[in-house]
Amino acid sequence: MPPYGYDPYKKARECKNMSQERQKTPLNAELKAIREKATPNDSLAKLFARIIRDLVEESDNGRNLERSSKLDEIVSSVKTQVVAVNEDDESYLRYSEILRDGIESLKPYLKGSEKLAKLKKLKAKAVRRDRRRHEGVQQQQALLLPSSIPDSKIQIYFMGDPDKEPHPLEKDRLIRTYNDIKWQLNFHEIVRAPELWARRKDTKVQPYTATGHHWVIAVGTDSITETVLDVVDMDTVSDCYIVALVDIGQKQKPVPISVPIFGKRTCCKPECGSLRVHLQSIWKDRWQNIWKDVWKDVEVEHARLFPSDTHAQDFLLHSLNFNERRNELYVKVKVASTRTEDPSTAMIEASA
């Protein structure tokens, strides 16, 4: 029988009061300091604080002072590292690394596989939220910055139509991404369905010419870094097309070519039979119509896929499995000219 005046709830009240007091101690202040400093990673900081508070409450209820002391040490360590981070472009990544390491250090105090599995999901969710928030902030900041292109016009060349003068596009604060350029071309009815390509020079990628010119798709959401671009009118090609680097008359021209979907039996009627015959057929008519009869005869000497250096001229076109919207084909063309001078003005050399 308990002695007179015994209070069976005294210990429970003491534990509760102890837990409440701890919320007012430096522990709570340190967790707040972590969140205030690691603002770009607020979701991770919240998760870390939530786990710490749950573990501290469990420790206080069980009067596990040693465990509480270790949790205090973890919080202090994380706070020290967070405070030491300098605010720059890399601070978001550094905060994320510190907080993720801090959460990992709490795993030994979580009992049961279910809690660990839940923690893994919560941490991944917090990382995704922080990343989306960080990307949103970067996009907003980019709108406040001046355009990344130099103080000059952007020259837009028309791929496959070298007689056409390049279209100059004035630099403007509203033109920041390649999608902005495409919108301008469409809005002013210059190209109805434009797709932009950027020029590159690298003889390791394209070793067949001295310049190493090749073309890559300009990603619409990327910031503009080029002052010379080529545009393909998607109304003139199929959705499945490639760009061939055509070496013709000592000039190199990018030419868009519609290609059949891999595995489709034919691309022409009657069937062309090989890449060489296919190109000679479509280019003879194309160059006579668009390039004003500069060439009276067209002969494909050889065609190669780069950077693999695969001879492709005698393969069936539909068997080559081209990567659509890529420039991986080099074609050497032999011609007989009806004129002494090539009138084409939109050559690579004009803007290289």
Side-chain angles (χ1 to χ4, degrees):
M1 184 174 179
Y4 177 77
Y6 173 74
D7 185 355
Y9 303 105
K10 181 178 179 181
K11 183 176 180 180
R13 283 198 303 273
E14 288 177 349
C15 291
K16 182 178 180 180
N17 292 337
M18 181 178 179
S19 179
Q20 291 175 345
E21 285 299 318
R22 286 182 62 79
Q23 300 300 321
K24 304 174 185 178
T25 62
L27 174 67
N28 202 41
E30 288 183 329
L31 292 174
K32 183 179 179 182
I34 291 171
R35 281 194 60 189
E36 290 177 347
K37 185 69 163 58
T39 303
N41 305 80
D42 190 59
S43 295
L44 274 174
K46 281 182 179 178
L47 179 61
F48 177 73
R50 171 183 164 186
I51 299 171
I52 284 291
R53 290 193 174 104
D54 289 345
L55 290 174
V56 165
E57 187 172 352
E58 290 178 7
S59 301
D60 288 347
N61 289 338
R63 305 300 294 269
N64 192 336
L65 299 180
E66 181 180 355
R67 176 171 157 174
S68 296
S69 177
K70 290 181 179 179
L71 293 174
D72 288 342
E73 291 177 4
I74 292 174
V75 173
S76 296
S77 175
V78 170
K79 179 200 168 185
T80 301
Q81 295 178 69
V82 165
V83 171
V85 173
N86 294 321
E87 294 293 337
D88 54 29
D89 293 339
E90 301 295 326
S91 58
Y92 158 76
L93 296 175
R94 183 63 184 138
Y95 289 140
S96 179
E97 180 183 355
I98 294 169
L99 290 167
R100 282 186 284 114
D101 288 346
I103 292 172
E104 285 293 314
S105 66
L106 299 177
K107 280 186 175 182
Y109 304 101
L110 295 173
K111 297 179 181 179
S113 57
E114 291 185 4
K115 285 189 176 181
L116 292 174
K118 184 178 180 181
L119 174 63
K120 184 177 180 180
K121 291 181 180 179
L122 290 174
K123 186 174 72 171
K125 187 176 181 179
V127 169
R128 288 195 299 270
R129 284 180 175 175
D130 288 339
R131 182 171 62 247
R132 286 196 296 266
R133 186 185 300 109
H134 177 66
E135 290 172 351
V137 171
Q138 284 187 317
Q139 291 175 0
Q140 290 177 355
Q141 290 176 343
L143 294 175
L144 302 176
L145 296 174
S147 177
S148 58
I149 58 177
D151 293 328
S152 62
K153 295 178 181 179
I154 305 170
Q155 297 290 336
I156 310 293
Y157 287 82
F158 299 88
M159 196 179 289
D161 194 355
D163 276 345
K164 193 171 183 177
E165 289 291 331
H167 175 71
L169 190 64
E170 293 286 350
K171 173 186 158 182
D172 189 285
R173 288 185 61 84
L174 297 177
I175 301 177
R176 302 181 178 280
T177 68
Y178 295 109
N179 277 339
D180 296 334
I181 295 179
K182 290 165 68 174
W183 186 89
Q184 291 281 341
L185 293 174
N186 173 271
F187 180 77
H188 295 289
E189 299 183 351
I190 299 164
V191 180
R192 174 178 288 184
E195 185 156 63
L196 297 173
W197 291 71
R199 303 179 180 188
R200 297 287 184 267
K201 291 182 180 181
D202 190 343
T203 53
K204 293 181 180 178
V205 176
Q206 189 276 99
Y208 308 115
T209 63
T211 60
H213 272 112
H214 60 285
W215 281 257
V216 296
I217 283 282
V219 179
T221 54
D222 285 356
S223 297
I224 300 169
T225 57
E226 314 285 338
T227 56
V228 177
L229 293 163
D230 293 87
V231 63
V232 171
D233 187 348
M234 293 295 293
D235 282 349
T236 64
V237 293
S238 67
D239 290 339
C240 186
Y241 82 97
I242 62 170
V243 168
L245 172 60
V246 181
D247 195 342
I248 179 171
Q250 298 182 342
K251 303 289 184 180
Q252 292 88 46
K253 312 170 188 283
V255 179
I257 304 172
S258 298
V259 294
I261 298 172
F262 179 63
K264 186 176 179 181
R265 291 304 302 162
T266 60
C267 56
C268 299
K269 292 183 180 180
E271 187 174 353
C272 52
S274 70
L275 176 62
R276 184 201 304 270
V277 176
H278 177 79
L279 295 181
Q280 289 178 173
S281 174
I282 64 172
W283 284 352
K284 184 175 182 179
D285 293 338
R286 184 176 180 82
W287 287 341
Q288 286 177 348
N289 293 334
I290 296 180
W291 294 347
K292 300 178 176 57
D293 254 339
V294 175
W295 318 114
K296 68 176 182 181
D297 192 20
V298 178
E299 180 184 348
V300 174
E301 291 188 5
H302 62 261
R304 296 183 181 180
L305 301 179
F306 61 86
S308 62
D309 195 28
T310 302
H311 290 269
Q313 63 270 8
D314 297 321
F315 282 86
L316 295 173
L317 182 58
H318 61 263
S319 69
L320 286 170
N321 193 19
F322 287 109
N323 293 311
E324 60 182 89
R325 287 176 166 79
R326 297 281 289 274
N327 171 214
E328 298 175 340
L329 179 64
Y330 167 80
V331 182
K332 177 68 175 176
V333 174
K334 180 180 179 181
V335 297
S337 177
T338 60
R339 300 179 186 175
T340 58
E341 182 180 357
D342 182 356
S344 173
T345 57
M347 302 302 176
I348 295 173
E349 287 76 7
S351 58

